[in-house]
Amino acid sequence: MKAVRTIEELRSGIRALQINLGPEATVGLVPTMGYLHEGHASLIRRARKDNGIVVVSIFVNPIQFGPGEDYETYPRDEARDLALAEAEGADLVFLPSVETMYPQPTKTKIMVSDITTRLCGASRPGHFDGVTTVVSKLFNIVQPDKGYFGMKDVQQVAVLQQMVQDLNMNVEIVPCPIVREEDGLALSSRNVYLSEEERRQALVLSRSLREAAAAVSEGTAVTAGDIRNLLKRVISQSPLADIEYAEVVSFPGLQPYPDDEEISRKDEAVLMALAVRFGRTRLIDNRLFNPKEAN
Ligand code: PAF
């Protein structure tokens, strides 16, 4: 495995592998912000299985953080990240500096409208513009056949799918399953911010999603309103939880269902999505399901 910091080194590294492996070797890109955990490891493993060449990028992207968010304090551990990427079989790790990615004040932005204004987009204005801009740049730099993204950031997946479709980008977005701790907490680099008590109480996220899905299949939650109420009721049992949203929306359109809409007999993908603060830590989690199949 080779770690590179410049675009030139990365492109020549990919070219060298392509010459070695032949034109059939596809390129899989796993974009990350580092502080890698088992969720990232699962993306790298999937990319390794699917492609001849695997590139992992590690870049804490300043333009997707809003004022007062955790850009400065976002956890970083380059040595550990490189060891994990190597152990999972990455060929190249791209670690650009901010100056490499944004050499002059950038005047071009990629913006997906509509679906970026809901859920996380409502409280993090501009966040998804930062994500789509940096991911477009990474796609242009690496020219991958496939890009791998975790479903914990389900809105990010929907937004990127929309972007590649609208801009005819020749990249397949590969959504990968959420990886959880044994007790149900979805893995996130930000989990390290949680105190012991906050971490214990944060289990209400996965529990509320589980209970809501069970209530839909048992017929005790029928409408979107029933599901929202149940999610909020379960989460509120944790005194430290401060709910930002507990939503029921379509996927990938992310349209909120009206409170009286019957969800339990729908034969389509329904997304329950949560953002909840525990102290200074904002956690997200979600569950995508087909109510008809769950019944
Ligand atoms: O999901 C993330 O870690 C980031 O949003 C991404 C896709 C690497 C873009 O900075």
Side-chain angles (χ1 to χ4, degrees):
M1 188 192 81
K2 213 167 154 192
V4 297
R5 293 182 195 274
T6 68
I7 294 169
E8 296 69 33
E9 283 176 294
L10 177 67
R11 286 193 170 141
S12 72
I14 295 172
R15 256 197 314 276
L17 288 165
Q18 279 168 333
I19 290 167
N20 240 334
L21 297 168
E24 303 295 278
T26 55
V27 178
L29 171 66
V30 183
T32 80
M33 297 206 300
Y35 213 68
L36 305 181
H37 50 64
E38 183 51 32
H40 299 109
S42 73
L43 303 181
I44 303 171
R45 279 198 293 277
R46 175 71 197 277
R48 181 71 284 165
K49 191 159 88 56
D50 293 353
N51 301 279
I53 299 167
V54 175
V55 179
V56 175
S57 64
I58 297 178
F59 178 61
V60 184
N61 174 36
I63 68 164
Q64 70 185 74
F65 290 79
E69 289 189 353
D70 56 346
Y71 173 66
E72 297 298 340
T73 55
Y74 195 83
R76 291 160 168 90
D77 190 340
E78 198 178 290
R80 202 173 58 102
D81 288 350
L82 289 174
L84 183 144
E86 180 154 40
E88 298 302 344
D91 296 305
L92 283 162
V93 178
F94 180 45
L95 304 125
S97 64
V98 173
E99 293 69 33
T100 296
M101 289 303 281
Y102 303 113
Q104 67 256 320
T106 177
K107 295 198 174 74
T108 307
K109 262 193 188 156
I110 303 293
M111 276 175 75
V112 173
S113 61
D114 183 50
I115 55 171
T116 51
T117 59
R118 301 189 209 116
L119 304 177
C120 293
S123 66
R124 303 187 73 192
H127 165 70
F128 287 110
D129 302 347
V131 171
T132 44
T133 301
V134 79
V135 171
S136 306
K137 284 168 75 77
L138 291 167
F139 284 176
N140 285 334
I141 293 165
V142 176
Q143 305 269 306
D145 297 280
K146 296 181 181 192
Y148 294 80
F149 297 88
M151 280 294 276
K152 188 176 77 68
D153 294 304
V154 66
Q155 187 171 12
Q156 174 168 279
V157 169
V159 169
L160 293 172
Q161 278 174 336
Q162 186 75 45
M163 175 185 84
V164 298
Q165 196 180 315
D166 288 350
L167 297 180
N168 306 97
M169 291 180 172
N170 200 14
V171 186
E172 184 192 337
I173 302 293
V174 182
C176 300
I178 299 176
V179 179
R180 297 179 181 280
E181 303 273 11
E182 247 173 53
D183 60 10
L185 185 69
L187 294 192
S188 162
S189 304
R190 290 187 168 103
N191 288 351
V192 291
Y193 299 149
L194 296 167
S195 70
E196 215 174 292
E197 182 55 21
E198 287 167 346
R199 190 193 169 304
R200 201 183 61 74
Q201 294 201 20
L203 295 179
V204 276
L205 269 72
S206 54
R207 184 154 64 81
S208 67
L209 293 166
R210 243 186 352 261
E211 288 188 18
V216 173
S217 61
E218 286 156 12
T220 50
V222 175
T223 63
D226 294 340
I227 298 172
R228 286 185 186 111
N229 290 339
L230 189 151
L231 290 170
K232 286 179 187 159
R233 197 174 58 244
V234 175
I235 296 168
S236 302
Q237 287 164 6
S238 281
L240 296 177
D242 178 11
I243 300 175
E244 186 182 300
Y245 64 77
E247 259 305 343
V248 189
V249 299
S250 63
F251 186 83
L254 308 183
Q255 285 291 345
Y257 293 107
D259 265 345
D260 61 357
E261 182 126 353
E262 253 192 57
I263 299 297
S264 54
R265 274 190 301 203
K266 281 200 178 299
D267 191 8
E268 62 190 34
V270 169
L271 176 69
M272 298 186 286
L274 308 173
V276 180
R277 286 180 193 279
F278 291 85
R280 68 184 180 116
T281 311
R282 180 179 179 278
L283 297 180
I284 55 173
D285 200 350
N286 70 82
R287 189 166 172 138
L288 188 60
F289 70 119
N290 182 315
K292 191 100 182 258
E293 283 167 12
N295 276 319

